[in-house]
Amino acid sequence: MEPKRFQLVDSEGKPHEYILTLHHASEGAGIALQIMALVSGPIAEALVALLGSEGALQRFAEQGVADISLDDLGAALGDVSLGDLATQLAKALGDKATAKLITSDLMKHAHRDGKPLSIQTNYDLAFTGNYLELFKLAMEVVKLNGFLPFAPT
């Protein structure tokens, strides 16, 4: 797969060029599991909401849960509030493994303005006081790699 190229704007309104490449499966599988664990609370809420809806509950009663489509699940996940996801993230950020996930594991194959973010100095220069750009980039990495394969795009 070709590298993904795009722009994000920093906290001062300045655009930055990004290049992302995929994580190798040997490292990406572990990252995917960490991310799924991080958002499992809101995803569980989405499943409860999905199975609690009239149409889904009727399908479940008639056909069983295995026949609920990934599209239905994706639509339910789309209704999960960003606040719920942010709350889960905030709880997890106190954990050193989660901080490492955000700071180095996800950014291993990301370049900002031609500089690899896997180098701590580049990472710090890019994101000190600029966390919205960091979180937008993290979501791009998650989407590109399919770390949440059932989430809506």
Side-chain angles (χ1 to χ4, degrees):
M1 174 181 246
E2 289 290 316
K4 180 178 181 178
R5 297 172 185 272
F6 60 97
Q7 279 189 355
L8 291 176
V9 176
D10 68 19
S11 60
E12 296 176 350
K14 181 180 175 189
H16 297 277
E17 298 290 327
Y18 282 91
I19 300 173
L20 300 180
T21 56
L22 292 172
H23 284 71
H24 299 285
S26 57
E27 63 192 2
I31 293 171
L33 290 172
Q34 285 179 284
I35 291 171
M36 284 189 266
L38 182 65
V39 299
S40 61
I43 290 173
E45 290 175 22
L47 285 171
V48 168
L50 174 65
L51 292 175
S53 71
E54 254 181 63
L57 189 57
Q58 182 66 28
R59 283 195 312 276
F60 175 74
E62 292 172 359
Q63 302 169 346
V65 73
D67 292 321
I68 294 176
S69 75
L70 291 180
D71 289 338
D72 290 340
L73 178 58
L77 289 173
D79 293 335
V80 174
S81 78
L82 291 178
D84 290 343
L85 289 173
T87 299
Q88 291 292 329
L89 182 60
K91 286 179 188 176
L93 282 177
D95 176 58
K96 288 183 181 183
T98 302
K100 180 182 179 296
L101 172 69
I102 298 296
T103 59
S104 62
D105 293 348
L106 280 180
M107 304 306 157
K108 185 173 183 179
H109 301 288
H111 289 74
R112 181 183 190 251
D113 297 332
K115 298 177 183 174
L117 293 173
S118 57
I119 296 174
Q120 190 68 44
T121 303
N122 294 341
Y123 178 92
D124 288 340
L125 287 172
F127 300 120
T128 298
N130 190 26
Y131 300 106
L132 181 58
E133 183 183 354
L134 169 63
F135 292 131
K136 286 179 180 179
L137 176 60
M139 291 308 301
E140 289 295 328
V141 172
V142 168
K143 286 192 291 187
L144 177 68
N145 282 278
F147 289 148
L148 287 175
F150 45 79
T153 57

